Amino acid sequence: GFSGWKPGQYPDPALVEATLANFPEKGIGSVEECMALYLDADYKILDVRSPMEVEDEGKVGGSYNIPLLLCQKKYNPEIEKKEVVQTPNPDFIATVKETFPDTATNIIVMCSNGRQRAMQTLVALDEAGYTNLVGMKGGYNYFYYVFDNKFRRRDIGRAKTVWSADGSTGIFASGVDFLMSDGGDEGYVAKDEVDYIDWATTLAASGSATPAAAAPEPAPASFAATPTPEPTPSYAAPPAAEPVPATSAPANPFAEFLSASPEPTPSYEAPSTPAAAPGNQFAEFLTEKPGEGGSFW
């Protein structure tokens, strides 16, 4: 059980009730609200920090670590210290979709401080069709300041910090940022000194389309549209051939059927009651049958 909590802190029943009523529409949740969503409303925590950070700093129990950026600390002789080398994860969206195939899954997005990477992730997942998204204000750094990894509350005092977001298409719009009204613990404790790159922009600049906006797979070769018409195949109708001397032209076995000239009238006079004509072996092809739309030729 939880102990040492005050009104407005998890598991305050009033906090839990208000949180379940306000999310995911509210968009950005405090650590207290995210605890209520995680433990009382079947939300999953998506930790987008790099594996290096998870190994060094720990993780929230039961969370899913899918890094937005792959980070490594490497020594830079020019500045004579280690720096964080960042690479965008090209498989990020595909891995999220594999982990959470249902786009209605309730997801809490968490990075180190709830800022750059969390907001980039919220934008990307929103564009990928996920509908129940919440960003954790303060990220893992502040969560771990308030709770340990077994969800036990630490005995601390905290000043209030105001967070907000502004964007053109909603709370997860590109360019969204947090605004702090004071120097409270959320801003100080959650601080991350690394200036993280923009995942989507860097991925596009590297020549890899972001999976969320990737072009559809090409159609099978037999159906794919060709921007430039193919050259005329060699079996297309050739230019008019040189006239062939009459003496060398082979006899046409179908000449008697293709000739437009009527057959000559017999020299004898037809009897008033004609005798039955011998059977024509091509009659079924030359005679139009009802409903078949014309003769064989």
Side-chain angles (χ1 to χ4, degrees), residues 6-285:
K6 301 175 182 179
Q9 296 178 345
Y10 185 82
D12 178 3
L15 168 80
V16 173
E17 181 180 0
T19 299
L20 300 189
N22 293 333
F23 286 87
E25 288 76 14
K26 189 176 177 181
I28 302 297
S30 68
V31 164
E32 305 290 347
E33 290 170 322
C34 287
M35 277 289 285
L37 294 173
Y38 187 44
L39 298 180
D40 291 73
D42 194 32
Y43 271 70
K44 315 297 183 186
I45 293 181
L46 173 59
D47 184 349
V48 299
R49 295 176 300 154
S50 66
M52 174 189 71
E53 295 169 272
V54 173
E55 183 178 348
D56 290 347
E57 300 162 12
K59 61 179 292 187
V60 176
S63 61
Y64 297 81
N65 178 227
I66 304 176
L68 182 72
L69 304 173
L70 304 174
C71 302
Q72 286 185 315
K73 289 182 179 179
K74 292 186 176 181
Y75 182 77
N76 185 338
E78 294 183 3
I79 59 176
E80 298 184 343
K81 66 177 183 179
K82 287 186 177 181
E83 63 179 356
V84 177
V85 179
Q86 308 171 50
T87 306
N89 179 4
D91 301 320
F92 176 72
I93 294 295
T95 306
V96 171
K97 288 183 175 180
E98 182 179 349
T99 306
F100 307 114
D102 183 0
T103 54
T105 301
N106 298 323
I107 299 176
I108 298 170
V109 175
M110 180 187 75
C111 66
S112 60
N113 59 0
R115 294 173 181 267
Q116 295 167 310
R117 289 175 292 178
M119 297 313 299
Q120 291 179 42
T121 299
L122 290 168
V123 172
L125 294 186
D126 182 62
E127 292 176 353
Y130 286 87
T131 55
N132 297 322
L133 301 171
V134 175
M136 182 187 289
K137 179 170 54 179
Y140 177 80
N141 292 353
Y142 193 64
F143 173 90
Y144 193 62
Y145 178 61
V146 178
F147 299 99
D148 65 17
N149 286 335
K150 294 184 178 180
F151 309 122
R152 293 175 299 199
R153 183 178 297 278
R154 302 180 190 276
D155 185 14
I156 54 175
R158 294 178 300 281
K160 182 180 179 182
T161 302
V162 176
W163 303 68
S164 66
D166 183 26
S168 59
T169 59
I171 200 164
F172 302 141
S174 298
V176 69
D177 196 7
F178 292 115
L179 172 66
M180 294 191 303
S181 65
D182 58 45
D185 286 344
E186 286 175 345
Y188 179 76
V189 176
K191 189 174 183 180
D192 189 332
E193 298 291 345
V194 178
D195 184 17
Y196 291 99
I197 61 176
D198 184 271
W199 172 78
T201 303
T202 308
L203 203 60
S206 69
S208 301
T210 61
E217 292 186 7
S222 56
F223 300 104
T226 4
T228 306
E230 295 285 339
T232 305
S234 58
Y235 51 76
E242 293 291 331
V244 180
T247 55
S248 63
N252 189 336
F254 299 106
E256 62 175 306
F257 305 112
L258 300 175
S259 174
S261 302
E263 297 201 10
T265 306
S267 57
Y268 58 85
E269 189 173 331
S272 55
T273 303
N280 188 332
Q281 61 178 325
F282 298 103
E284 64 175 307
F285 302 109

